[in-house]
Amino acid sequence: MPIDVEVCIIGAGAAGLKAAHTLLTKSDSLTQNDIIVVEAQDRVGGRLYTDRTSSKIGLHYDLGASWFHDCLSNVVFQHFYSGEGEGDKEIFDILSDGYFDDKPVKVFSSDEIAEIDMHKTNMETITNDIESFCELYFIDKLSTDEDITLKQLVELYIQKYSKILTEQEKKYAKVTMRYYELWHGVSWDRLSARYAVLDHNGRDLFNKKGYDFLINWLLQIGISRDRVLLNSPVSKIYRDASKLVGNRRHRKCAVEIRGSSELIYCDYLVVTVPQSILSLDHKVEPNYGIEWVPVLPASMQTALKNIHFGALGKVIFEFDSVWWNKNQDRFFILADENVATDGIETLTSLPKPFSFPALAINSSNIHKSDKGSLIILTQTPLTEYLESNPDQAWSYYGPMLARISSTPYSPPPAPINTITTKWTTNPYIRGSYVACYKGDDPTEIISQLSGEIDGMGLSSSTIRFAGEHTSFEGEGCVHGAWMSGMREAEWILKHSGRGEVTKKLDKWRL
Amino acid sequence: MPIDVEVCIIGAGAAGLKAAHTLLTKSDSLTQNDIIVVEAQDRVGGRLYTDRTSSKIGLHYDLGASWFHDCLSNVVFQHFYSGEGEGDKEIFDILSDGYFDDKPVKVFSSDEIAEIDMHKTNMETITNDIESFCELYFIDKLSTDEDITLKQLVELYIQKYSKILTEQEKKYAKVTMRYYELWHGVSWDRLSARYAVLDHNGRDLFNKKGYDFLINWLLQIGISRDRVLLNSPVSKIYRDASKLVGNRRHRKCAVEIRGSSELIYCDYLVVTVPQSILSLDHKVEPNYGIEWVPVLPASMQTALKNIHFGALGKVIFEFDSVWWNKNQDRFFILADENVATDGIETLTSLPKPFSFPALAINSSNIHKSDKGSLIILTQTPLTEYLESNPDQAWSYYGPMLARISSTPYSPPPAPINTITTKWTTNPYIRGSYVACYKGDDPTEIISQLSGEIDGMGLSSSTIRFAGEHTSFEGEGCVHGAWMSGMREAEWILKHSGRGEVTKKLDKWRL
């Protein structure tokens, strides 16, 4: 029998589940039966995924999002920080469940045994200068869409200011800006310089508890589990269901689940699939792409073409003991200059160590544990290679991590366990979050999908979009996804007259 | 006999002399005799003043501007950096005549013997967080003119995030933001939080050579010294000279020099007096205020009331030897919390040491000299007090500077020489440069005076304004004054048809 509901939500991640929760709690009349959530995977959570089984030393790891970013303006953080909600402290206690892992990062490189002296190398000053240079470079080009890669920008800076930079400053200037690779999940030789440098709204809180708390909480206070259909990837969306046979209640649109002969009819549809899935051409990827009937407007298709999907991955090494500085938060290990991987789109063999910089999070310090655990962030194209060849991860990172050893002359012990993410090999995810390659435009896609700009996207359609890629605030972040789900639920309540949304959507509000 | 010229320029500082230089070099027909510069003081240079006589250890000091700020967008820096001008290297060689004194600052306080460990205290992270908090605080108030002091903002931050800040973080958060006092020359209990946090365009280069080089160079390539009338303060400006007897050539306006019976008639007038002088009511200050006939428009008067003049001063101590870390660029000595001076407008006695923070520039390191010299920056209201009571400077700073001693347990030797600036006691200057107290508006005055916004200020009048307080770019800086002088000269050339200014005024151009 076909499913017939008021609202269908595609995707059971933070955006989709928050949309469902908002619909249920802000409406006077909507009930569980009026809403259905369809999820392609065999689990809820999307890119929130806490691995509680792989560790051999009793820890757990968020393989997806791990931080509350931009805490000063992060609605989720602010909710739990304010402590006003009933029982919030049991759900997430900022003090005991979070940790600001932002003590100054320690920097290492292939050609120095000890930590690099930030004072002597003036590394921070030069990095700030390159960031200002970047800003000024593009201020002059505001009316154009000219772009260069982050790598090219750094080269320009060094070339222009060669006369006043010391040899040491030049040496480090050449590689320190690659730090941004680990924000975007993209190697600097393809990253857009125009959009690489980020402006933060406050500190980043590491989520020690595991982000599954948020998904579990949403399922507890929002949509019930039996209204979430797992293993239900969408193959087709009918934007206009008026002529479909079987649409007995004259619902506005319909959704086809892959392999199912029955449609889901609904009046409102919230599409929270990742941007990587939205961008798929269903003719090229018939098993994973979504067919739109009729096709999406050309302007939306163009916007989807002018953006990329990053591939921030993680490699987690577990050891018998902590052989690095116990009290340090993060280690940044610089790449060498002029590595052979620059410009290579796909790695066909393991690159030499120090080809890509590594950011290692000291999980042992975060958990104040004697058990050795380092979480390494990875960037495209290394992520794809390591996620497909996890057994080679230590060959790449071992020699780099040797630098952070408290006894730098003896090689570090081999890990007793290696855990790698699988985001790029997961056909329903295909990476991490929205990212700008050279020439991309990050605002166009949000303008098209957020529903906040008149006349853009599907405009007055009852098909709405949510997810981290649709939010001007918190783009790429959990709280961005969260707010976008809330935004679309509130739009639906207002449009349908099913709930009074009197308060303006404000950023501190859950 | 009355003076009769095409252009009269009031003020022989960077703005006025650059205006004269531009007029002479960009025009085909203007000659020295067409221009006169009148200067209130007995010397040229204005707030550029290199003291080459007071030192007892053979150094020289810029008592006014000392740095090329924002080097990435500083036209003066860029000119000498590019090295394209003939003989520029003799005039100012960036490498040997400049020094980037921006190695990480060392921080000290009254209650710790040794330098404060930036790593352990997390001071930088918290300072950055307060800056972001400040930005967000005012983003919410963009459409209002609500303001608080920098001190109040810091208190708000600490109050709001009290739960997650460690005691140590709170302690330092309470005082580190006072660093901005030494940018603006104003104590944090009056400084506008809205405008206190600065966005820099690159590094700051200390001018080792002395900024008199720039004034000398302008006099060499521009207006000749006999066309600069020293000791000639202006008492009255006639905006319309058409009815004045003696205006034989029907010049558009006229200027009265204090004590002189003859007027200076001119078609174009460039007023570069400091904002502090423009703001004076000539009825209240008959000996120093300028009377406008007719009075300035109410909008200009309001704008002048909604801005303050900072009082960044300097106290320079010379010693027989260097008893601090030779290789350090700058020392920042924190004020104590809750000092009695907060909220006090005028100091009537020397405050206790550690009432105001101190930034000490290690002049010995800048000049790579074994002779001991520290340049301390001072802020209002301390500047006024010390400039009036220079003999008390060591009583205030001695105990604070003891902290930076390489042997912190033995008191430092007394200075063999103390030099203090006299900007606040100089009736033609009265401080340092434009500054925002709580509630001030920095853009209004520039909009009124820059001549760049249609219908504002004197609009199409041939009376123009230049100086650091009239420039959207480089406000408060030498290059801002410089560009404003160039801007007005180019306007005059275009308006008078006396010179073809074909190239758009661009920021890299001299």
Side-chain angles (χ1 to χ4, degrees), chain A residues 311-329:
Chain A
L312 190 82
K314 286 175 191 164
V315 172
I316 299 157
F317 295 117
E318 294 186 330
F319 302 90
D320 275 328
S321 63
V322 182
W323 44 267
W324 53 88
N325 181 339
K326 273 187 75 148
N327 303 314
Q328 184 54 36
D329 286 336

Side-chain angles (χ1 to χ4, degrees), chain A residues 71-73 77-78 80-83 94-95 100 102-106 118-120 122 124-126 128-130 132-136 139-140 157 159-165 169 199-203 205 327-328 507-508, chain B residues 71-73 77-78 80-83 94-95 100 102-106 118-120 122 124-126 128-130 132-136 139-140 157 159-165 169 199-203 205 327-328 507-508:
Chain A
C71 281
L72 292 174
S73 66
F77 171 87
Q78 292 285 337
F80 290 103
Y81 179 71
S82 78
I94 293 286
L95 288 180
F100 287 108
D102 56 11
K103 282 203 286 277
V105 68
K106 297 280 183 190
M118 301 298 276
H119 186 88
K120 282 193 187 144
N122 219 11
E124 229 171 281
T125 302
I126 301 299
N128 288 339
D129 206 40
I130 298 176
S132 295
F133 177 77
C134 181
E135 196 181 326
L136 289 168
I139 281 178
D140 279 353
Y157 171 83
Q159 190 188 333
K160 175 150 191 194
Y161 291 103
S162 174
K163 273 197 285 183
I164 46 171
L165 295 169
E169 284 169 350
D199 196 18
H200 299 293
N201 290 343
R203 301 168 74 184
L205 185 84
N327 303 314
Q328 184 54 36
K507 61 183 181 185
W508 306 117
Chain B
C71 281
L72 292 174
S73 66
F77 172 85
Q78 291 285 337
F80 290 104
Y81 180 72
S82 78
I94 294 285
L95 288 180
F100 287 108
D102 56 11
K103 281 203 286 278
V105 68
K106 297 281 183 190
M118 302 297 278
H119 187 89
K120 282 193 187 143
N122 219 11
E124 228 171 280
T125 302
I126 301 299
N128 288 340
D129 206 40
I130 299 176
S132 295
F133 177 76
C134 181
E135 196 181 326
L136 291 167
I139 280 177
D140 278 354
Y157 171 84
Q159 190 188 334
K160 175 150 191 195
Y161 291 104
S162 174
K163 271 198 286 183
I164 47 171
L165 295 170
E169 284 168 350
D199 195 17
H200 298 293
N201 290 343
R203 302 167 75 183
L205 186 82
N327 303 313
Q328 184 54 35
K507 62 181 181 186
W508 306 117

Side-chain angles (χ1 to χ4, degrees), chain A residues 94-289:
Chain A
I94 293 286
L95 288 180
S96 58
D97 294 332
Y99 172 73
F100 287 108
D101 63 328
D102 56 11
K103 282 203 286 277
V105 68
K106 297 280 183 190
V107 182
F108 298 83
S109 74
S110 72
D111 62 353
E112 307 201 24
I113 290 300
E115 176 195 341
I116 294 171
D117 185 327
M118 301 298 276
H119 186 88
K120 282 193 187 144
T121 56
N122 219 11
M123 204 184 286
E124 229 171 281
T125 302
I126 301 299
T127 307
N128 288 339
D129 206 40
I130 298 176
E131 292 184 8
S132 295
F133 177 77
C134 181
E135 196 181 326
L136 289 168
Y137 182 84
F138 288 105
I139 281 178
D140 279 353
K141 293 168 181 60
L142 268 187
S143 58
T144 75
D145 54 9
E146 196 186 317
D147 201 1
I148 54 179
T149 66
L150 182 61
K151 185 180 182 214
Q152 289 170 323
L153 180 105
V154 170
E155 287 164 351
L156 266 184
Y157 171 83
I158 293 171
Q159 190 188 333
K160 175 150 191 194
Y161 291 103
S162 174
K163 273 197 285 183
I164 46 171
L165 295 169
T166 65
E167 286 311 307
Q168 199 179 38
E169 284 169 350
K170 267 181 245 183
K171 175 182 158 184
Y172 291 120
K174 278 180 193 156
V175 287
T176 50
M177 288 289 281
R178 295 193 71 172
Y179 189 82
Y180 278 105
E181 294 187 5
L182 286 330
W183 273 103
H184 301 282
V186 176
S187 180
W188 73 335
D189 53 331
R190 57 190 81 178
L191 206 50
S192 159
R194 194 168 195 131
Y195 299 109
V197 176
L198 299 166
D199 196 18
H200 299 293
N201 290 343
R203 301 168 74 184
D204 304 308
L205 185 84
F206 190 93
N207 179 343
K208 286 165 66 175
K209 186 166 194 168
Y211 253 124
D212 52 359
F213 93 88
L214 199 66
I215 296 298
N216 293 337
W217 185 49
L218 281 173
L219 288 168
Q220 185 188 320
I221 61 176
I223 194 89
S224 64
R225 283 187 188 259
D226 60 5
R227 300 299 295 169
V228 181
L229 306 184
L230 298 178
N231 302 305
S232 303
V234 169
S235 48
K236 197 185 277 194
I237 294 171
Y238 293 94
R239 291 167 56 190
D240 177 3
S242 60
K243 289 173 189 155
L244 293 177
V245 191
N247 184 2
R248 275 167 291 183
R249 293 210 195 169
H250 307 291
R251 296 290 190 186
K252 291 179 185 139
C253 37
V255 169
E256 180 188 270
I257 303 299
R258 203 169 295 279
S260 163
S261 55
E262 301 279 16
L263 297 178
I264 298 173
Y265 296 98
C266 58
D267 278 339
Y268 296 93
L269 179 63
V270 184
V271 182
T272 79
V273 300
Q275 174 248 309
S276 54
I277 302 303
L278 272 187
S279 299
L280 287 182
D281 182 337
H282 74 97
K283 289 175 203 148
V284 180
E285 293 255 17
N287 294 324
Y288 298 100

